[in-house]
Amino acid sequence: MTLSKGFEPHLVIDETTVTGRDIEMLRAIDRFGSMHEAANELGRSYPHLQRRVVELEEAIGQLTRRVRGGKDGGGTQLTPDALDLIRRFERLRVELSGVTSVPESVISGTVIEQYGELATVRTAAGEITARVPTPAEEVEIAVRADAVVLIAPRSSSEGHTSLRNQFRGTVGELAIGDATATVTVEIADGVTITSVVTEESVDRLGLEEGADVIAAFKTTAARATAIESDSG
């Protein structure tokens, strides 16, 4: 099973949560140099917008300052702290975008041996060595597609000793983009592993639907979570 995730970025400062709506507001104030014009542009009431600015400033510090004079009679500017807040939020947005845009393969199994935070898990695809932070019996193992390496079946696995988990399968789906391709490898009945590779890898490995390939990933790339029992 392959899953895609979605998150709404936000920053928490003390007890105040900064959302994308707040950042949109600050950007509008910066763009127009006026809270009134920012409110009109965003379709919000001025009192509501001003109140939100005050709430943020009480938690974060001064975000705006009045500028008087000039041909337009003055206006509102953002402070360096406000601009820094915008940059921090955008960095978070980029980080989350990287996480949510990459699909994950999820494989269920049973823990048969655990040693510290690592465990051997029996699955329909075979045994997988994964990170299992807390003791569990039944788990779901998630592996990000960008952590899965594809290897030609004829290649020796000696050069890939760090890739503890290696599974033979066939290419079920191949979606080629501008520079990368998303490859779904059918490992066993009902078990697939997704990988994101470069176009060069597609050509080098001769990837096409039905082609044989090995999907491999490190132990540290396999993260398991316990499956809660329905009994009781």
Side-chain angles (χ1 to χ4, degrees):
M1 177 174 62
T2 301
L3 294 178
S4 296
K5 297 181 291 188
F7 297 101
E8 184 65 32
H10 65 271
L11 295 171
V12 178
I13 302 173
D14 293 331
E15 297 182 358
T16 300
T17 300
V18 180
T19 68
R21 183 177 171 87
D22 295 322
I23 298 302
E24 179 185 43
M25 174 187 69
L26 292 176
R27 285 191 178 281
I29 294 172
D30 187 43
R31 184 165 64 252
F32 293 104
S34 165
M35 286 193 190
H36 282 284
E37 291 191 34
N40 290 335
E41 173 68 15
L42 298 174
R44 306 181 198 175
S45 70
Y46 172 75
H48 178 78
L49 184 143
Q50 185 184 44
R51 183 166 60 250
R52 184 54 181 165
V53 169
V54 172
E55 291 173 352
L56 293 175
E57 290 186 325
E58 287 177 350
I60 302 169
Q62 187 177 1
L63 299 176
T64 62
R65 60 168 172 248
R66 291 287 300 166
V67 178
R68 301 186 182 280
K71 63 178 183 179
D72 297 323
T76 303
Q77 290 184 348
L78 297 187
T79 66
D81 284 345
L83 296 174
D84 181 64
L85 179 65
I86 292 173
R87 287 192 292 268
R88 288 167 58 191
F89 190 90
E90 290 306 322
R91 287 197 298 268
L92 174 63
R93 191 196 300 275
V94 170
E95 290 173 6
L96 286 180
S97 175
V99 172
T100 58
S101 63
V102 177
E104 282 188 338
S105 300
V106 180
I107 305 170
S108 300
T110 303
V111 175
I112 58 176
E113 184 180 3
Q114 185 148 3
Y115 25 94
E117 290 191 355
L118 301 181
T120 300
V121 182
R122 182 185 293 117
T123 75
E127 293 184 357
I128 296 178
T129 305
R131 295 168 54 194
V132 185
T134 57
E137 295 183 2
E138 301 298 319
V139 297
E140 286 184 337
I141 300 171
V143 185
R144 281 170 53 98
D146 54 2
V148 177
V149 175
L150 299 184
I151 307 170
R154 62 183 178 276
S155 300
S156 169
S157 62
E158 294 179 357
H160 304 277
T161 54
S162 64
L163 302 175
R164 180 75 175 272
N165 301 296
Q166 299 191 19
F167 303 95
R168 289 179 176 270
T170 57
V171 175
E173 295 183 11
L174 177 63
I176 299 178
D178 294 333
T180 62
T182 301
V183 187
T184 301
V185 181
E186 298 177 352
I187 303 299
D189 186 24
V191 178
T192 60
I193 296 177
T194 302
S195 176
V196 175
V197 300
T198 63
E199 281 192 272
E200 187 274 334
S201 294
V202 172
D203 295 335
R204 177 171 51 81
L205 296 172
L207 297 179
E208 59 183 7
E209 290 188 18
D212 293 332
V213 70
I214 295 174
F217 50 90
K218 294 183 178 181
T219 297
T220 52
R223 307 177 313 282
T225 54
I227 299 176
E228 298 296 333
S229 174
D230 293 332
S231 61

